[in-house]
Amino acid sequence: MIKVGDHLPSTTLWEVVPAEDGGLSGPQSIDVGAAVAEKTIVIIGVPGAFTPTCSKQHVPGYLSLASHFRNLGVDEIWCVSVNDAYVMQAWGAQMGVGDQIRMLADGNAAFVEAMGLSRDLSEKGMGVRSQRYSMLAVNGVVKILNVEPQGKFVVSGAQQLHIQAQGVLDSTQKMSEN
């Protein structure tokens, strides 16, 4: 499993965004390595779009603290799930995330499998999914990683990651000033 100090895997995620004509773009590929270079990114991994805990607690927590994360120096917040890009876009629209959270699809589970954060939920009819987690990555290096015990929501919430990120980003800022 990926750990603090590791680089994020060089894989592809997918995103659907509004098109100029008012419709939606086709799925756009996101090269993870390029997208995280020179950026501070919060990533939340969820088992599935539209699922109860993800929709009622996990994503809303990050949406409510999005400006607080930005004030710490976080460039983007990503929500990643093993769903297709259109499902992630529709879920983001329903959740009202706007430009506060990028809803990114890991349709083939390549990202979560490369990180060792996949779980097989085939017995529940859901196939391979992501474990629930939160992380902070700076320039593609994992600085904080909170992986939930199966079936729980106790360590990956927005409040906890925000508190952790304050300490990490404050010390990173002080190191760059010296």
Side-chain angles (χ1 to χ4, degrees), residues 142-176:
V142 178
K143 298 295 184 179
I144 300 169
L145 177 62
N146 302 311
V147 181
E148 292 288 355
Q150 189 168 331
K152 303 287 184 189
F153 181 64
V154 292
V155 300
S156 65
Q159 189 71 22
Q160 178 166 344
L161 186 65
H162 186 264
I163 291 166
Q164 293 170 307
Q166 283 177 313
V168 168
L169 296 174
D170 283 348
S171 64
T172 303
Q173 178 72 11
K174 288 176 185 171
M175 288 174 60
S176 67

mmCIF file of all heavy atoms in Angstrom, residues 142-176:
data_model
loop_
_atom_site.group_PDB
_atom_site.id
_atom_site.type_symbol
_atom_site.label_atom_id
_atom_site.label_comp_id
_atom_site.label_asym_id
_atom_site.label_seq_id
_atom_site.Cartn_x
_atom_site.Cartn_y
_atom_site.Cartn_z
ATOM 1 N N VAL A 142 3.088 11.936 -1.227
ATOM 2 C CA VAL A 142 2.088 11.797 -0.169
ATOM 3 C C VAL A 142 2.672 12.308 1.144
ATOM 4 O O VAL A 142 3.706 11.835 1.606
ATOM 5 C CB VAL A 142 1.648 10.324 -0.024
ATOM 6 C CG1 VAL A 142 0.647 10.177 1.122
ATOM 7 C CG2 VAL A 142 1.060 9.808 -1.331
ATOM 8 N N LYS A 143 1.992 13.291 1.726
ATOM 9 C CA LYS A 143 2.415 13.866 3.010
ATOM 10 C C LYS A 143 1.541 13.381 4.164
ATOM 11 O O LYS A 143 2.001 13.296 5.300
ATOM 12 C CB LYS A 143 2.380 15.394 2.957
ATOM 13 C CG LYS A 143 3.320 15.995 1.923
ATOM 14 C CD LYS A 143 4.759 15.720 2.280
ATOM 15 C CE LYS A 143 5.710 16.391 1.301
ATOM 16 N NZ LYS A 143 7.109 16.143 1.657
ATOM 17 N N ILE A 144 0.268 13.102 3.863
ATOM 18 C CA ILE A 144 -0.677 12.587 4.861
ATOM 19 C C ILE A 144 -1.508 11.517 4.164
ATOM 20 O O ILE A 144 -1.934 11.703 3.028
ATOM 21 C CB ILE A 144 -1.623 13.692 5.381
ATOM 22 C CG1 ILE A 144 -0.845 14.823 6.044
ATOM 23 C CG2 ILE A 144 -2.652 13.107 6.354
ATOM 24 C CD1 ILE A 144 -1.705 16.057 6.326
ATOM 25 N N LEU A 145 -1.760 10.413 4.854
ATOM 26 C CA LEU A 145 -2.625 9.359 4.329
ATOM 27 C C LEU A 145 -3.458 8.796 5.467
ATOM 28 O O LEU A 145 -2.914 8.353 6.480
ATOM 29 C CB LEU A 145 -1.796 8.247 3.685
ATOM 30 C CG LEU A 145 -2.580 7.035 3.167
ATOM 31 C CD1 LEU A 145 -3.550 7.442 2.051
ATOM 32 C CD2 LEU A 145 -1.618 5.964 2.681
ATOM 33 N N ASN A 146 -4.765 8.858 5.296
ATOM 34 C CA ASN A 146 -5.715 8.323 6.281
ATOM 35 C C ASN A 146 -6.595 7.296 5.571
ATOM 36 O O ASN A 146 -7.433 7.666 4.742
ATOM 37 C CB ASN A 146 -6.607 9.433 6.844
ATOM 38 C CG ASN A 146 -5.815 10.539 7.490
ATOM 39 O OD1 ASN A 146 -4.941 10.287 8.302
ATOM 40 N ND2 ASN A 146 -6.107 11.783 7.127
ATOM 41 N N VAL A 147 -6.395 6.024 5.871
ATOM 42 C CA VAL A 147 -7.179 4.953 5.257
ATOM 43 C C VAL A 147 -8.152 4.415 6.295
ATOM 44 O O VAL A 147 -7.753 4.067 7.406
ATOM 45 C CB VAL A 147 -6.273 3.818 4.736
ATOM 46 C CG1 VAL A 147 -7.104 2.714 4.081
ATOM 47 C CG2 VAL A 147 -5.242 4.365 3.745
ATOM 48 N N GLU A 148 -9.412 4.348 5.906
ATOM 49 C CA GLU A 148 -10.450 3.889 6.824
ATOM 50 C C GLU A 148 -10.427 2.371 7.008
ATOM 51 O O GLU A 148 -10.204 1.643 6.039
ATOM 52 C CB GLU A 148 -11.838 4.256 6.282
ATOM 53 C CG GLU A 148 -12.133 5.721 6.257
ATOM 54 C CD GLU A 148 -12.365 6.335 7.632
ATOM 55 O OE1 GLU A 148 -12.393 5.599 8.636
ATOM 56 O OE2 GLU A 148 -12.508 7.559 7.694
ATOM 57 N N PRO A 149 -10.704 1.927 8.226
ATOM 58 C CA PRO A 149 -10.990 0.506 8.403
ATOM 59 C C PRO A 149 -12.249 0.174 7.586
ATOM 60 O O PRO A 149 -13.120 1.044 7.429
ATOM 61 C CB PRO A 149 -11.274 0.364 9.900
ATOM 62 C CG PRO A 149 -10.746 1.607 10.531
ATOM 63 C CD PRO A 149 -10.779 2.671 9.476
ATOM 64 N N GLN A 150 -12.337 -1.026 7.086
ATOM 65 C CA GLN A 150 -13.461 -1.403 6.230
ATOM 66 C C GLN A 150 -14.802 -1.107 6.899
ATOM 67 O O GLN A 150 -15.027 -1.448 8.050
ATOM 68 C CB GLN A 150 -13.375 -2.882 5.876
ATOM 69 C CG GLN A 150 -14.383 -3.280 4.818
ATOM 70 C CD GLN A 150 -14.103 -4.649 4.258
ATOM 71 O OE1 GLN A 150 -12.976 -5.100 4.220
ATOM 72 N NE2 GLN A 150 -15.148 -5.305 3.798
ATOM 73 N N GLY A 151 -15.665 -0.421 6.143
ATOM 74 C CA GLY A 151 -17.003 -0.118 6.622
ATOM 75 C C GLY A 151 -17.092 1.027 7.611
ATOM 76 O O GLY A 151 -18.166 1.279 8.163
ATOM 77 N N LYS A 152 -16.007 1.744 7.838
ATOM 78 C CA LYS A 152 -16.000 2.831 8.833
ATOM 79 C C LYS A 152 -15.818 4.189 8.156
ATOM 80 O O LYS A 152 -15.362 4.285 7.022
ATOM 81 C CB LYS A 152 -14.861 2.628 9.838
ATOM 82 C CG LYS A 152 -14.893 1.323 10.574
ATOM 83 C CD LYS A 152 -16.002 1.307 11.590
ATOM 84 C CE LYS A 152 -15.931 0.011 12.391
ATOM 85 N NZ LYS A 152 -17.062 -0.173 13.231
ATOM 86 N N PHE A 153 -16.145 5.231 8.916
ATOM 87 C CA PHE A 153 -15.869 6.611 8.519
ATOM 88 C C PHE A 153 -15.440 7.348 9.781
ATOM 89 O O PHE A 153 -16.239 8.005 10.447
ATOM 90 C CB PHE A 153 -17.102 7.265 7.887
ATOM 91 C CG PHE A 153 -16.865 8.685 7.441
ATOM 92 C CD1 PHE A 153 -15.948 8.967 6.443
ATOM 93 C CD2 PHE A 153 -17.548 9.730 8.017
ATOM 94 C CE1 PHE A 153 -15.716 10.273 6.033
ATOM 95 C CE2 PHE A 153 -17.330 11.046 7.618
ATOM 96 C CZ PHE A 153 -16.411 11.307 6.624
ATOM 97 N N VAL A 154 -14.158 7.172 10.140
ATOM 98 C CA VAL A 154 -13.663 7.749 11.389
ATOM 99 C C VAL A 154 -12.362 8.541 11.236
ATOM 100 O O VAL A 154 -12.063 9.382 12.072
ATOM 101 C CB VAL A 154 -13.474 6.670 12.484
ATOM 102 C CG1 VAL A 154 -14.814 6.103 12.929
ATOM 103 C CG2 VAL A 154 -12.561 5.548 12.027
ATOM 104 N N VAL A 155 -11.570 8.298 10.168
ATOM 105 C CA VAL A 155 -10.260 8.957 10.055
ATOM 106 C C VAL A 155 -10.064 9.797 8.790
ATOM 107 O O VAL A 155 -9.095 10.536 8.701
ATOM 108 C CB VAL A 155 -9.089 7.939 10.159
ATOM 109 C CG1 VAL A 155 -9.112 7.217 11.490
ATOM 110 C CG2 VAL A 155 -9.091 6.961 8.999
ATOM 111 N N SER A 156 -10.971 9.697 7.822
ATOM 112 C CA SER A 156 -10.725 10.371 6.543
ATOM 113 C C SER A 156 -11.582 11.604 6.306
ATOM 114 O O SER A 156 -11.604 12.149 5.211
ATOM 115 C CB SER A 156 -10.938 9.384 5.388
ATOM 116 O OG SER A 156 -12.300 8.985 5.316
ATOM 117 N N GLY A 157 -12.258 12.072 7.319
ATOM 118 C CA GLY A 157 -13.118 13.237 7.177
ATOM 119 C C GLY A 157 -12.343 14.535 6.983
ATOM 120 O O GLY A 157 -11.142 14.630 7.266
ATOM 121 N N ALA A 158 -13.043 15.528 6.515
ATOM 122 C CA ALA A 158 -12.435 16.820 6.188
ATOM 123 C C ALA A 158 -11.835 17.510 7.404
ATOM 124 O O ALA A 158 -10.743 18.077 7.314
ATOM 125 C CB ALA A 158 -13.473 17.731 5.534
ATOM 126 N N GLN A 159 -12.520 17.470 8.517
ATOM 127 C CA GLN A 159 -12.030 18.158 9.710
ATOM 128 C C GLN A 159 -10.667 17.599 10.132
ATOM 129 O O GLN A 159 -9.747 18.357 10.432
ATOM 130 C CB GLN A 159 -13.058 18.026 10.850
ATOM 131 C CG GLN A 159 -12.735 18.879 12.047
ATOM 132 C CD GLN A 159 -12.952 20.368 11.782
ATOM 133 O OE1 GLN A 159 -13.689 20.761 10.886
ATOM 134 N NE2 GLN A 159 -12.307 21.202 12.542
ATOM 135 N N GLN A 160 -10.553 16.267 10.172
ATOM 136 C CA GLN A 160 -9.301 15.656 10.593
ATOM 137 C C GLN A 160 -8.175 15.982 9.615
ATOM 138 O O GLN A 160 -7.076 16.358 10.029
ATOM 139 C CB GLN A 160 -9.432 14.137 10.717
ATOM 140 C CG GLN A 160 -8.110 13.506 11.117
ATOM 141 C CD GLN A 160 -8.251 12.076 11.582
ATOM 142 O OE1 GLN A 160 -9.337 11.616 11.899
ATOM 143 N NE2 GLN A 160 -7.149 11.366 11.630
ATOM 144 N N LEU A 161 -8.438 15.857 8.317
ATOM 145 C CA LEU A 161 -7.378 16.146 7.348
ATOM 146 C C LEU A 161 -6.986 17.618 7.391
ATOM 147 O O LEU A 161 -5.811 17.957 7.264
ATOM 148 C CB LEU A 161 -7.786 15.743 5.928
ATOM 149 C CG LEU A 161 -6.664 15.881 4.898
ATOM 150 C CD1 LEU A 161 -5.520 14.908 5.186
ATOM 151 C CD2 LEU A 161 -7.186 15.680 3.490
ATOM 152 N N HIS A 162 -7.953 18.494 7.609
ATOM 153 C CA HIS A 162 -7.644 19.921 7.687
ATOM 154 C C HIS A 162 -6.691 20.209 8.845
ATOM 155 O O HIS A 162 -5.711 20.940 8.682
ATOM 156 C CB HIS A 162 -8.929 20.742 7.820
ATOM 157 C CG HIS A 162 -8.697 22.202 7.772
ATOM 158 N ND1 HIS A 162 -8.568 22.969 8.910
ATOM 159 C CD2 HIS A 162 -8.523 23.049 6.726
ATOM 160 C CE1 HIS A 162 -8.350 24.223 8.564
ATOM 161 N NE2 HIS A 162 -8.323 24.302 7.249
ATOM 162 N N ILE A 163 -6.954 19.611 9.997
ATOM 163 C CA ILE A 163 -6.074 19.809 11.160
ATOM 164 C C ILE A 163 -4.674 19.270 10.860
ATOM 165 O O ILE A 163 -3.669 19.934 11.134
ATOM 166 C CB ILE A 163 -6.676 19.137 12.416
ATOM 167 C CG1 ILE A 163 -7.933 19.905 12.852
ATOM 168 C CG2 ILE A 163 -5.658 19.066 13.542
ATOM 169 C CD1 ILE A 163 -8.795 19.160 13.864
ATOM 170 N N GLN A 164 -4.608 18.082 10.272
ATOM 171 C CA GLN A 164 -3.310 17.497 9.930
ATOM 172 C C GLN A 164 -2.577 18.358 8.899
ATOM 173 O O GLN A 164 -1.373 18.575 8.999
ATOM 174 C CB GLN A 164 -3.489 16.083 9.371
ATOM 175 C CG GLN A 164 -4.007 15.084 10.372
ATOM 176 C CD GLN A 164 -4.382 13.782 9.693
ATOM 177 O OE1 GLN A 164 -5.154 13.763 8.735
ATOM 178 N NE2 GLN A 164 -3.827 12.692 10.191
ATOM 179 N N ALA A 165 -3.308 18.834 7.900
ATOM 180 C CA ALA A 165 -2.700 19.620 6.818
ATOM 181 C C ALA A 165 -2.138 20.930 7.344
ATOM 182 O O ALA A 165 -1.101 21.405 6.858
ATOM 183 C CB ALA A 165 -3.729 19.884 5.718
ATOM 184 N N GLN A 166 -2.789 21.526 8.343
ATOM 185 C CA GLN A 166 -2.270 22.765 8.930
ATOM 186 C C GLN A 166 -0.843 22.557 9.403
ATOM 187 O O GLN A 166 0.035 23.360 9.113
ATOM 188 C CB GLN A 166 -3.138 23.220 10.098
ATOM 189 C CG GLN A 166 -4.420 23.865 9.694
ATOM 190 C CD GLN A 166 -5.275 24.225 10.890
ATOM 191 O OE1 GLN A 166 -5.483 23.428 11.797
ATOM 192 N NE2 GLN A 166 -5.790 25.438 10.882
ATOM 193 N N GLY A 167 -0.603 21.487 10.139
ATOM 194 C CA GLY A 167 0.738 21.216 10.654
ATOM 195 C C GLY A 167 1.741 20.935 9.557
ATOM 196 O O GLY A 167 2.850 21.479 9.556
ATOM 197 N N VAL A 168 1.360 20.118 8.604
ATOM 198 C CA VAL A 168 2.273 19.759 7.516
ATOM 199 C C VAL A 168 2.582 20.963 6.637
ATOM 200 O O VAL A 168 3.739 21.229 6.314
ATOM 201 C CB VAL A 168 1.693 18.611 6.662
ATOM 202 C CG1 VAL A 168 2.473 18.426 5.366
ATOM 203 C CG2 VAL A 168 1.666 17.321 7.461
ATOM 204 N N LEU A 169 1.554 21.704 6.252
ATOM 205 C CA LEU A 169 1.770 22.830 5.344
ATOM 206 C C LEU A 169 2.442 23.995 6.045
ATOM 207 O O LEU A 169 3.230 24.718 5.434
ATOM 208 C CB LEU A 169 0.458 23.242 4.679
ATOM 209 C CG LEU A 169 -0.132 22.157 3.767
ATOM 210 C CD1 LEU A 169 -1.498 22.575 3.251
ATOM 211 C CD2 LEU A 169 0.807 21.834 2.621
ATOM 212 N N ASP A 170 2.187 24.188 7.344
ATOM 213 C CA ASP A 170 2.904 25.223 8.089
ATOM 214 C C ASP A 170 4.384 24.917 8.141
ATOM 215 O O ASP A 170 5.220 25.791 7.921
ATOM 216 C CB ASP A 170 2.357 25.351 9.512
ATOM 217 C CG ASP A 170 1.037 26.103 9.587
ATOM 218 O OD1 ASP A 170 0.651 26.728 8.587
ATOM 219 O OD2 ASP A 170 0.388 26.038 10.658
ATOM 220 N N SER A 171 4.739 23.660 8.405
ATOM 221 C CA SER A 171 6.165 23.305 8.488
ATOM 222 C C SER A 171 6.812 23.342 7.108
ATOM 223 O O SER A 171 7.972 23.730 6.978
ATOM 224 C CB SER A 171 6.367 21.935 9.150
ATOM 225 O OG SER A 171 5.789 20.918 8.379
ATOM 226 N N THR A 172 6.084 22.983 6.052
ATOM 227 C CA THR A 172 6.611 23.062 4.689
ATOM 228 C C THR A 172 6.875 24.520 4.320
ATOM 229 O O THR A 172 7.898 24.843 3.734
ATOM 230 C CB THR A 172 5.630 22.437 3.685
ATOM 231 O OG1 THR A 172 5.386 21.084 4.069
ATOM 232 C CG2 THR A 172 6.157 22.485 2.279
ATOM 233 N N GLN A 173 5.943 25.398 4.680
ATOM 234 C CA GLN A 173 6.093 26.821 4.399
ATOM 235 C C GLN A 173 7.325 27.391 5.119
ATOM 236 O O GLN A 173 8.110 28.114 4.539
ATOM 237 C CB GLN A 173 4.815 27.579 4.836
ATOM 238 C CG GLN A 173 4.883 29.071 4.643
ATOM 239 C CD GLN A 173 4.802 29.475 3.184
ATOM 240 O OE1 GLN A 173 4.491 28.688 2.310
ATOM 241 N NE2 GLN A 173 5.099 30.721 2.919
ATOM 242 N N LYS A 174 7.487 27.009 6.387
ATOM 243 C CA LYS A 174 8.640 27.506 7.156
ATOM 244 C C LYS A 174 9.952 27.009 6.564
ATOM 245 O O LYS A 174 10.929 27.752 6.513
ATOM 246 C CB LYS A 174 8.518 27.078 8.621
ATOM 247 C CG LYS A 174 7.431 27.835 9.361
ATOM 248 C CD LYS A 174 7.269 27.338 10.770
ATOM 249 C CE LYS A 174 6.076 28.055 11.414
ATOM 250 N NZ LYS A 174 5.726 27.467 12.697
ATOM 251 N N MET A 175 9.977 25.777 6.078
ATOM 252 C CA MET A 175 11.192 25.219 5.477
ATOM 253 C C MET A 175 11.539 25.957 4.185
ATOM 254 O O MET A 175 12.702 26.215 3.903
ATOM 255 C CB MET A 175 11.024 23.726 5.199
ATOM 256 C CG MET A 175 11.028 22.886 6.477
ATOM 257 S SD MET A 175 10.652 21.152 6.179
ATOM 258 C CE MET A 175 11.975 20.698 5.077
ATOM 259 N N SER A 176 10.521 26.323 3.400
ATOM 260 C CA SER A 176 10.792 27.015 2.141
ATOM 261 C C SER A 176 11.225 28.451 2.358
ATOM 262 O O SER A 176 11.886 29.048 1.524
ATOM 263 C CB SER A 176 9.581 26.947 1.213
ATOM 264 O OG SER A 176 8.506 27.687 1.741
#
